[in-house]
Amino acid sequence: MEMQDSADIAISNLVHQYNGKTVLDIHCLSFTRGSIYAVLGHNGSGKTTLLAILGLLLKPTAGKVFFEGKDIYRHSSSIAAFRSKMSTVIQNPLLFDTTVENNIAYGLKIRGIPRAARKRRVQDCLQLVGLEGFEKRKAKELSGGETQRIAIARALAIKPQVLFLDEFAANVDEQTIALLEEVIKRVNRTDRSTIFLVTHDTHQAYRLADEVINLFQGRVVRSSLENLFKGTIENADNLPPVFDTGRMKMEVVSGKRGSAYAAIDPRDIIVSDSPLRSSARNSFYGIVSTIFDNGTSVRLRITAGEEMTVKMTKKSLSEMNLTVGSKVYLTFKSSAVEVF
Amino acid sequence: MLSSFQKNFPAKARPYNDTGETRVDYLLQAFITALKLIISLDTDVIQCTMVSLKISCSAVLLATIVGIPLSFLIALNEFTGKRALITFFNTMMALPTVVVGLFVFSAISRQGPLGVFGLLFTPTAMLIGQFILATPIIIALSISAIRGVDPRIRVTALSLGARSHQVVMTLILEARFAMMAAIIAGFGRIIGEVGSAMMLGGNIRGYTRSITTAIALETSKGEFSLGLALGIILLTVALSVNIVLRSLQQQNT
């Protein structure tokens, strides 16, 4: 695989197995320094495994991992040196059984940073996560949300070149999530840290990330998994193959037959207030059920047999005068349906 | 020659019973005499205590230096025979002290393979016996302490850039209470043991006579007060070690 010059991290022909079962199988991916990536996927899709491999906490069964252009496992003696430029906040993080200050200073202490500098950095990090004055608190006595914030402060203390956050918003209240999202954006902006977020919250992923990686059963899929359906592909003689979810039938372009999954990227679906005359083979009538504000764009949930998500600009939304309950038509090409 | 105890307290603690004292009086009298012995810093009492403390502290220190790293090696690595090894150390925890005494005796006696070193009836011989007794306890209990540490600790330490030895230090810190308990259990096992100390040390006054061997000897001689005094000291040592370690644990929290 050719690595892009600007790529900070890359993987190629990556396979990871647990007890002989393949949980991750990725041909190639590369990540640019200073970007925010979100890894989206359902439970068991391999998100956490991918994060552990990228964070050099888990050696893949096969394949290569590159960091700053170097093949990590060809220089296995220096893995610790590569790893020291990264930090990971694992899902359901654990604080060491000591004070908050000692927890945040952990990474600095093992890097031999002098005491005074450690103290200053601890103060800065506590301020960043909005927990000033928590230095002397015992870690075991903190609430779930406070633990999450301290774990993030601890990971940020070393000013990592790459930061991995696994489900950082799990078990945290809305207010804390908003605060942590701000922290992530600020750190990305000021320190140029590359940030990886593992999440199953689609909206959070699109709100924060420059790029979203969709994982499905250990593989990277092109389409967002917001419109993911399970069904069967039928193929009558001389007719294009049809994917049937039980509630919806759509034409697809695929050689696959029988049980399959299909995903349609929300950006590939055209929303109109009347049926479109076009070359697109799939058109459905639906009713808008929810509208999510995503900053510059909006995401609409539309009931059209199945619940479907579409993405459009705020301008389009206001021009079409769409509200919850509006009747719309959804149109997409058969080639827009990714079958796997 | 009379011992200092016999000189200072000639008759009071001697076994009765033609004086009309009751058994309770006798016990009370023995207890008071024991306290007086301790307070007056009786030479025999001090010597026995020092021998016990020196040998047991050295043995537990050595057992800790050997046992803790070994317990990490065993707990953190997967290898064939790991379970059998853990079972072996668990079994060794219940090893009778006289059996250890017997094995070490046979190894260091004149005819034994290590006879040339002339170790029999020396503090070193006692130390070897106590080391053999304490090490399996420290290893077995430390292994369970390390395995009891949340597996996320290791990943967290690694993810924050810790090298292997720093990960181990972090695990020790996290398991410190259980590790302390392992070391205290090891110390408890040897400070109070009499079998191997008697067989390997020979109970030589002022040289290898420890608290426990002195208690055994004095009681058999009928010097109940001295035995009781040493018993009180033994309990006080055990209590003090626990108090000191507990306060250390609290300071570190």
Side-chain angles (χ1 to χ4, degrees), chain A residues 3-10 30-35 37 68-69 161 192 194:
Chain A
M3 258 194 67
Q4 294 166 22
D5 288 343
S6 57
D8 205 21
I9 305 172
S30 65
F31 308 98
T32 316
R33 173 120 202 226
S35 298
Y37 296 92
E68 293 175 332
Q161 194 172 320
R192 263 198 91 224
T194 310

Side-chain angles (χ1 to χ4, degrees), chain A residues 69-319:
Chain A
K70 294 193 180 72
D71 182 350
I72 295 288
Y73 291 103
R74 269 186 66 193
H75 303 82
S76 54
S77 58
S78 50
I79 286 178
F82 288 123
R83 203 192 281 132
S84 69
K85 295 181 181 180
M86 313 170 166
S87 58
T88 304
V89 179
I90 58 171
Q91 191 175 354
N92 188 15
L94 185 130
L95 298 181
F96 300 124
D97 187 10
T98 177
T99 59
V100 164
E101 183 173 14
N102 287 344
N103 263 284
I104 299 177
Y106 181 88
L108 302 169
K109 199 172 176 184
I110 60 177
R111 284 166 179 77
I113 308 291
R115 196 184 170 82
R118 286 206 304 261
K119 268 191 166 315
R120 277 197 303 276
R121 185 70 188 136
V122 168
Q123 299 288 339
D124 293 347
C125 290
L126 278 173
Q127 200 178 12
L128 198 62
V129 297
L131 291 176
E132 297 99 323
F134 269 59
E135 295 89 333
K136 299 296 169 206
R137 292 272 203 104
K138 285 180 183 168
K140 297 280 169 196
E141 292 169 5
L142 301 179
S143 71
E146 287 164 350
T147 299
Q148 188 71 271
R149 282 148 84 177
I150 296 299
I152 291 176
R154 180 175 63 184
L156 291 175
I158 60 161
K159 295 199 174 181
Q161 194 172 320
V162 192
L163 174 68
F164 299 95
L165 300 170
D166 193 353
E167 298 283 6
F168 76 91
N171 310 318
V172 177
D173 61 62
E174 293 285 327
Q175 213 178 343
T176 309
I177 292 174
L179 181 136
L180 292 177
E181 286 184 2
E182 270 313 305
V183 170
I184 290 165
K185 282 191 250 177
R186 198 184 315 168
V187 168
N188 172 251
R189 230 179 12 245
T190 54
D191 298 347
R192 263 198 91 224
S193 298
T194 310
I195 299 174
F196 287 86
L197 313 165
V198 157
T199 178
H200 58 254
D201 180 346
T202 315
H203 301 289
Q204 185 182 59
Y206 284 97
R207 199 164 51 231
L208 288 173
D210 299 310
E211 196 176 316
V212 174
I213 296 144
N214 294 292
L215 274 186
F216 183 78
Q217 295 182 342
R219 290 165 191 270
V220 175
V221 291
R222 180 177 50 83
S223 310
S224 149
L225 296 173
E226 287 167 280
N227 297 316
L228 176 71
F229 305 112
K230 192 177 181 184
T232 49
I233 297 179
E234 295 151 9
N235 192 17
D237 290 339
N238 301 323
L239 285 172
V242 172
F243 179 83
D244 187 357
T245 70
R247 290 179 184 165
M248 253 175 125
K249 285 185 178 183
M250 57 188 88
E251 278 190 27
V252 297
V253 181
S254 172
K256 201 172 163 124
R257 298 293 172 264
S259 287
Y261 286 91
I264 309 131
D265 199 297
R267 290 165 296 195
D268 292 341
I269 301 172
I270 296 165
V271 181
S272 57
D273 47 16
S274 55
L276 284 183
R277 271 179 63 86
S278 74
S279 63
R281 301 293 303 163
N282 297 300
S283 187
F284 299 94
Y285 167 75
I287 294 167
V288 177
S289 61
T290 327
I291 300 173
F292 299 99
D293 192 335
N294 262 18
T296 53
S297 63
V298 285
R299 306 181 92 74
L300 275 63
R301 294 286 284 166
I302 293 164
T303 311
E306 298 282 356
E307 280 281 314
M308 296 193 75
T309 300
V310 297
K311 190 178 177 184
M312 61 168 65
T313 59
K314 275 187 174 171
K315 197 176 171 199
S316 300
L317 183 81
S318 66
E319 277 178 11

Side-chain angles (χ1 to χ4, degrees), chain A residues 321-339:
Chain A
N321 204 17
L322 292 179
T323 54
V324 172
S326 297
K327 290 164 184 159
V328 291
Y329 287 85
L330 304 178
T331 307
F332 51 91
K333 290 182 168 188
S334 52
S335 59
V337 185
E338 190 180 0
V339 176

Side-chain angles (χ1 to χ4, degrees), chain B residues 21 95 136 148 185 197 232 241:
Chain B
E21 281 179 308
L95 198 64
I232 292 169
V241 168

Side-chain angles (χ1 to χ4, degrees), chain B residues 46-98:
Chain B
I46 297 296
Q47 274 180 349
C48 294
T49 308
M50 291 317 289
V51 167
S52 268
L53 283 179
K54 252 194 259 179
I55 294 174
S56 296
C57 288
S58 312
V60 87
L61 184 70
L62 280 176
T64 304
I65 292 169
V66 173
I68 299 287
L70 258 177
S71 60
F72 269 96
L73 279 176
I74 297 167
L76 299 181
N77 292 298
E78 294 305 322
F79 55 89
T80 322
K82 178 175 172 171
R83 283 171 72 123
L85 193 62
I86 293 173
T87 308
F88 168 74
F89 283 119
N90 284 336
T91 312
M92 290 280 282
M93 281 167 66
L95 198 64
T97 59
V98 283

